[in-house]
Structures are given as structure tokens and as C-alpha cells.
């Protein structure tokens, strides 16, 4: 829904004069874009939690010798269970299910390096540093680094050349700008993420169907045992 609203504004903005475009973009378009840029990673991590819960309970009911235990149970209170840890556990939980690999492969495509390149790492930079602005406005930055100290070395012809002294270090600053991110380019990148997410959700649906069918089969087996098995008496 937000992507649809964003696309509509992108089409309508050129119809307004420059000052009006700035006002509309600031009040209506940027909030939509900001929200959308955060969704690929947010939805991806939610899908991991959903898949983990479903797989764990399905395993407990259908897989022999499965225990009601997850890796995060051992974490100290307040400790975050990282995405890398959750993926490692999810691969173990999903090893019993045919549909798991397709879900895993499609999930990996969400918020990929390609998307972070096209979005200029907007979510990460906006959360932890300075992300690019939308549409207009450069951000001046000074990047600090520590490295070998520069020295001047005299050349045989009497001139001097800058070289690095590996025995000493110094602090240096490089000045540059973060250029704005165009609405159209950002929208296109997020539309593709939406499509990838839909495919991943579809694969998760197939995985859930497989698990439900296995749980129903197991439930029928247990019900048969509870009533002492099928009757062998003849009428």
C-alpha cells in the first residue's frame, strides 16, 4: 500500500511548481519513502522468527527425539539473538523438511548486497550514522582514518615525492559529500524487494503446508494408538 502511494506521488510531483514540490515531498513523500526503506530488513527478520517457531513446534510433534529447546534459551536476559545465530539454528530445524530449502534460498535474496548498493545503504546509515537525503540536498562528511604517516622523499632529480612511512601512523581526514537519493531509483529498488518478499512468503506458506500435513498424519497415528488400534474382530 505504501509503495503504491509512493509511486502515485512520483507521477504527480512534476505537475507542481518547484516550491510546491518541495513542500509535498517533505510532508507526504519522504515519510512514505523512509518507511518503505526500512521494510526489507524488518520483514526479513520477522519471517525468520515465524519460520523458527513453526519449524520448532512441528519438529517437536513429528520428529522422533526432538526436544523443546532452542539456542536462545541459554542466552542471558537482555542478550540479543543475532540473525546469524538464528539462521544457523533455522538450517538445523529445517533439515527435516523438503520445502525449507526453497524458503531459505528466496529469503536470502531479501535485503541483499545489490539492494544495499541501490539504496545506498540507507537503512543502516540512517539508523547509525548519516544516510542520504531524498531527492535534493548533499550532506558534507569528513571521514577519519588512521594509517601510515606520509613523508616526503627526495628524488635523484632533486624533486620530492610523497611516500608512506610504515614505522609511523597518523590520523587523516578525507572530506566528501553524500549525494541525495532520487525518489524514482529508491522506489524501483524497494518494489523489487517487495516482490522478493512475496515470493519468500509464498515459499514459507508451502513449508507450513508440508508441516501441517505431517502433523495431521502424526495426530492420526497417535489417535489410533489411543483407541488400541484398529479392531480385528469379524462380524
Amino acid at each position: 500500500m505504501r509503495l503504491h502511494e509512493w509511486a502515485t506521488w512520483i507521477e504527480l510531483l512534476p505537475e507542481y511548481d518547484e516550491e510546491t514540490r518541495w513542500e509535498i515531498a517533505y510532508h507526504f513523500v519522504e515519510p512514505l519513502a523512509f518507511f518503505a526503506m526500512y521494510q526489507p530488513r524488518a520483514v526479513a527478520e520477522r519471517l525468520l522468527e515465524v519460520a523458527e517457531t513453526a519449524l520448532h513446534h512441528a519438529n517437536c510433534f513429528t520428529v522422533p527425539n526432538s526436544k523443546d529447546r532452542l539456542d536462545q534459551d541459554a542466552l542471558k536476559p537482555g542478550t540479543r539473538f543475532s540473525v546469524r545465530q538464528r539462521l544457523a539454528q533455522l538450517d538445523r530445524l529445517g533439515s527435516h523438511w523438503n520445502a525449507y530449502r526453497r524458503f531459505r534460498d528466496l529469503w536470502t535474496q531479501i535485503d541483499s548486497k545489490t539492494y544495499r548498493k541501490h539504496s545506498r545503504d540507507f537503512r543502516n546509515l540512517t539508523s547509525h550514522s548519516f544516510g542520504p537525503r531524498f531527492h535534493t540536498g548533499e550532506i558534507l562528511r569528513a571521514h577519519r582514518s588512521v594509517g601510515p604517516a606520509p613523508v616526503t622523499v627526495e628524488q635523484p632529480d632533486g624533486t620530492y615525492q610523497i611516500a608512506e612511512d610504515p614505522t609511523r601512523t597518523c590520523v587523516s581526514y578525507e572530506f566528501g559529500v553524500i549525494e541525495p537519493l532520487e525518489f524514482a531509483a529508491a522506489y524501483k529498488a524497494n518494489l523489487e524487494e517487495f516482490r522478493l518478499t512475496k515470493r519468500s512468503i509464498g515459499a514459507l506458506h508451502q513449508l507450513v503446508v508440508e508441516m501441517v500435513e505431517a502433523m495431521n498424519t502424526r495426530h492420526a497415528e497417535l489417535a489410533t494408538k489411543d483407541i488400541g488400534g484398529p479392531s480385528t474382530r469379524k462380524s
Side-chain angles (χ1 to χ4, degrees), residues 68-137:
D68 188 7
R69 185 181 304 148
L70 292 172
D71 292 347
Q72 59 264 43
D73 297 343
L75 295 178
K76 295 180 179 179
T79 304
R80 182 176 181 271
F81 194 52
S82 70
V83 172
R84 180 176 297 181
Q85 291 172 306
R86 176 158 272 132
L87 280 173
Q89 176 169 255
L90 204 65
D91 287 341
R92 185 179 72 254
L93 296 173
S95 62
H96 305 285
W97 306 95
N98 296 326
Y100 172 72
R101 179 46 53 185
R102 175 169 171 75
F103 164 71
R104 178 71 158 79
D105 291 344
L106 289 172
W107 181 91
T108 303
Q109 298 176 35
I110 305 173
D111 193 36
S112 65
K113 290 182 179 179
T114 300
Y115 172 69
R116 290 195 289 273
K117 177 182 178 181
H118 290 162
S119 66
R120 308 250 291 284
D121 204 16
F122 179 89
R123 182 196 65 86
N124 188 49
L125 289 176
T126 304
S127 297
H128 306 291
S129 181
F130 293 90
R133 292 175 176 171
F134 287 113
H135 189 58
T136 185

Side-chain angles (χ1 to χ4, degrees), residues 13-65:
L13 280 175
E15 299 180 6
Y16 297 92
D17 61 79
E18 185 175 14
E19 184 175 350
T20 305
R21 284 201 305 270
W22 285 355
E23 288 293 323
I24 292 175
Y26 179 76
H27 289 288
F28 300 107
V29 190
E30 287 190 18
L32 292 173
F34 191 93
F35 171 83
M37 299 288 277
Y38 269 70
Q39 294 314 301
R41 172 49 47 180
V43 174
E45 294 197 24
R46 292 184 195 120
L47 289 179
L48 286 189
E49 287 199 41
V50 171
E52 178 187 85
T53 301
L55 285 167
H56 174 61
H57 286 283
N59 287 348
C60 286
F61 192 62
T62 64
V63 179
N65 301 318

